[in-house]
Amino acid sequence: MPGDLSQLRLLPSMTQLLQSSSAQQLSARFSHALTVRALRTTLEQAREEIQAGAICPSIDELLTDAQLSLEREQLSHLRPLINATGVIINTNLGRAPLSSDALHAIQQVASGYSNLEYELEAGERGSRHVHVQALLRELTGAEAALVTNNNAAAVLLGLSALASGREVVISRGQLVEIGGGFRVPDVMRQSGCQLVEVGTTNRTRISDYEQAFTERTALFLSVHPSNFLISGFTESTSIYALSELAHKRGLLVMDDLGSGCLLDCEKYGLMHEPTPQESLAQGADLVCFSGDKLLGGPQAGILVGKADVIARLAKHPLMRAVRIDKMTLAALEMTLRHYQRGQVETHIPIWRMIAAQPEQIAVRASQWMERLRAEGITARVQQGESTIGGGSLPGETLPTSLLALDAANLPVSLNEISARLRRRATPIIARILRDTLLLDPRTVFEEHDTTVVQGLSESLSH
Ligand SMILES: *Cc1c(COP(=O)(O)O)cnc(C)c1O
């Protein structure tokens, strides 16, 4: 049966709605045009509902609908969320969170003018690269340093500047795909160099490099396999041996470390991760790594090495295309200062998470559980593992305590709960393992504990 025509006639006009004080407040917040659009949609919906048999909503109801839809529409598309996955450097979730000092540095530099490319002493044009050069030299022992927009750009720049039109020798065990379409052979092709593969997937010796050498060879490239582990009957060549051979032949050695950890990972119960300091000390001419993996800073590519090599990169035409922006530079400088000041574990979020004590995490997981229990929700705490992620330290885990919600105790499916958690204004990303929803306090900032408990409780009760 068609809707009641008299109800349809009760529907207010656009003009009537716009005259209300609520509509005027919406116009002030979101503009007249967006308010009209939201009201029009709301009116159309009400009309359809009346035709389907509903009674006419009040003006207040219509205005509230329009306000909710405007507020939802105007939420930032890129927005913060809570990472309860236990994957510390989560590429999909924005990799490394920045320290509050780094954020402050961004704000200071970005909200006004700065000496980005200006020499204050001389009062003349300067270079944006100088701001972190001294720090990078001090922290890695390099002669010179340069920064780019990310490490993929650093690799492309390094290979283009040093080996375009010439041969680059690399072990078959290092022709890896890092993820997101970054495949070492493709990047090499793109930089105009010719790939010469040596050795086998699991074993490559110095004699393999020696035999590959021709008068067209420009450099030996070493790539950290990152997210990929070759174990068992394996052999690879040290940077020391590669550099010794390369330098005898007048070639260069470039080492793409990927994560580029400046600290001794073993101190944190993790596997040894080669550092830029070690690679340079062993003779590498150019070492590159990311700013937002184990360094714990902003997305950036960092190149450290011999002064003449860095100078060739700085002059290359690609440099301009891959340059770092001022906000990144501000955050990177502050992140590096944390290293210089010995504030890594206290100030850099990913290292605070890596260094978190299992007992501390267990206490938080239990608190979450108790607070949920107080709201009538059954949860458990179980032992589990956090991972480093970001293509760093594959297979390496840290013992943790997880909040676990079993499907059997929940009013709706695990998929539905996790979808509700994702749809919140501050989404919460959890993990589902078989019949359990798991949340790891290690990757959740303590100031978000209440938000997590509230999110779970609301998602389970509506
Ligand atoms: C991650 C990674 C890259 C790419 O670095 P981005 O900073 O993500 O551009 C390149 N090489 C290796 C070995 C990596 O692990």
Side-chain angles (χ1 to χ4, degrees), residues 100-159:
S100 49
D101 291 332
L103 294 174
H104 183 67
I106 292 177
Q107 210 211 344
Q108 295 268 298
V109 160
S111 58
Y113 297 103
S114 64
N115 63 337
L116 180 65
E117 293 187 351
Y118 187 69
E119 286 271 6
L120 289 169
E121 277 301 321
E124 57 193 34
R125 191 192 153 81
S127 154
R128 67 177 61 207
H129 298 294
V130 304
H131 305 293
V132 289
Q133 244 158 19
L135 270 168
L136 283 169
R137 281 205 308 265
E138 180 182 333
L139 293 169
T140 66
E143 287 175 18
L146 195 63
V147 282
T148 56
N149 159 57
N150 61 12
N151 189 35
V155 176
L156 187 67
L157 175 67
L159 290 174

Side-chain angles (χ1 to χ4, degrees), residues 95 150-152 178 182 223-224 226 256 258-259 290 292-293 300:
R95 281 204 189 155
N150 61 12
N151 189 35
I178 308 301
F182 186 91
V223 176
H224 190 300
S226 297
D256 173 12
S259 216
S290 279
D292 56 349
K293 290 183 179 171

Side-chain angles (χ1 to χ4, degrees), residues 154-168:
V155 176
L156 187 67
L157 175 67
L159 290 174
S160 305
L162 304 178
S164 185
R166 298 181 63 194
E167 289 172 0
V168 171

Side-chain angles (χ1 to χ4, degrees), residues 18-145:
L18 282 172
Q19 275 161 358
S20 70
S21 65
S22 311
Q24 277 159 19
Q25 279 163 19
L26 286 182
S27 289
R29 265 175 85 190
F30 299 112
S31 86
H32 178 73
L34 290 182
T35 306
V36 170
R37 189 168 77 186
L39 288 171
R40 187 171 296 132
T41 312
T42 307
L43 281 171
E44 273 162 22
Q45 257 162 12
R47 195 167 295 121
E48 279 169 26
E49 281 163 21
I50 293 169
Q51 276 163 349
I55 60 159
C56 180
S58 69
I59 290 197
D60 278 350
E61 283 170 330
L62 288 165
L63 286 164
T64 306
D65 272 2
Q67 178 177 342
L68 288 176
S69 81
L70 265 175
E71 281 169 354
R72 213 172 315 128
E73 177 197 307
Q74 289 299 310
L75 273 180
S76 289
H77 199 272
L78 175 61
R79 58 188 209 258
L81 54 71
I82 293 173
N83 172 17
T85 64
V87 181
I88 298 172
I89 306 171
N90 197 317
T91 297
N92 296 340
L93 306 185
R95 281 204 189 155
L98 296 176
S99 76
S100 49
D101 291 332
L103 294 174
H104 183 67
I106 292 177
Q107 210 211 344
Q108 295 268 298
V109 160
S111 58
Y113 297 103
S114 64
N115 63 337
L116 180 65
E117 293 187 351
Y118 187 69
E119 286 271 6
L120 289 169
E121 277 301 321
E124 57 193 34
R125 191 192 153 81
S127 154
R128 67 177 61 207
H129 298 294
V130 304
H131 305 293
V132 289
Q133 244 158 19
L135 270 168
L136 283 169
R137 281 205 308 265
E138 180 182 333
L139 293 169
T140 66
E143 287 175 18

Side-chain angles (χ1 to χ4, degrees), residues 405-451:
L405 288 98
D406 297 306
N409 298 327
L410 302 176
V412 288
S413 73
L414 292 182
N415 284 330
E416 173 60 20
I417 302 282
S418 69
R420 287 180 188 174
L421 291 170
R422 292 197 307 272
R423 278 198 295 262
R424 297 178 62 78
T426 302
I428 300 169
I429 312 299
R431 225 173 352 137
I432 296 177
L433 190 67
R434 286 183 221 104
D435 295 323
T436 315
L437 186 76
L438 297 171
L439 292 96
D440 189 342
R442 188 190 292 274
T443 50
V444 176
F445 289 84
E446 274 180 55
E447 60 261 35
H448 291 149
D449 281 0
T450 301
T451 317

Side-chain angles (χ1 to χ4, degrees), residues 206-266:
I206 192 68
S207 54
D208 294 322
Y209 288 89
E210 183 132 40
Q211 280 155 24
F213 170 78
T214 72
E215 72 282 2
R216 296 194 56 232
T217 312
L219 62 83
F220 292 157
L221 176 65
S222 177
V223 176
H224 190 300
S226 297
N227 47 12
F228 176 67
L229 200 62
I230 303 175
S231 62
F233 185 58
T234 64
E235 183 173 342
S236 59
T237 314
S238 69
I239 295 293
Y240 181 78
L242 272 187
S243 307
E244 208 181 36
L245 174 63
H247 297 157
K248 240 190 296 181
R249 298 286 161 88
L251 308 180
L252 298 172
V253 170
M254 174 170 167
D255 190 8
D256 173 12
L257 283 180
S259 216
C261 180
L262 294 182
L263 301 177
D264 176 8
C265 272
E266 282 165 301

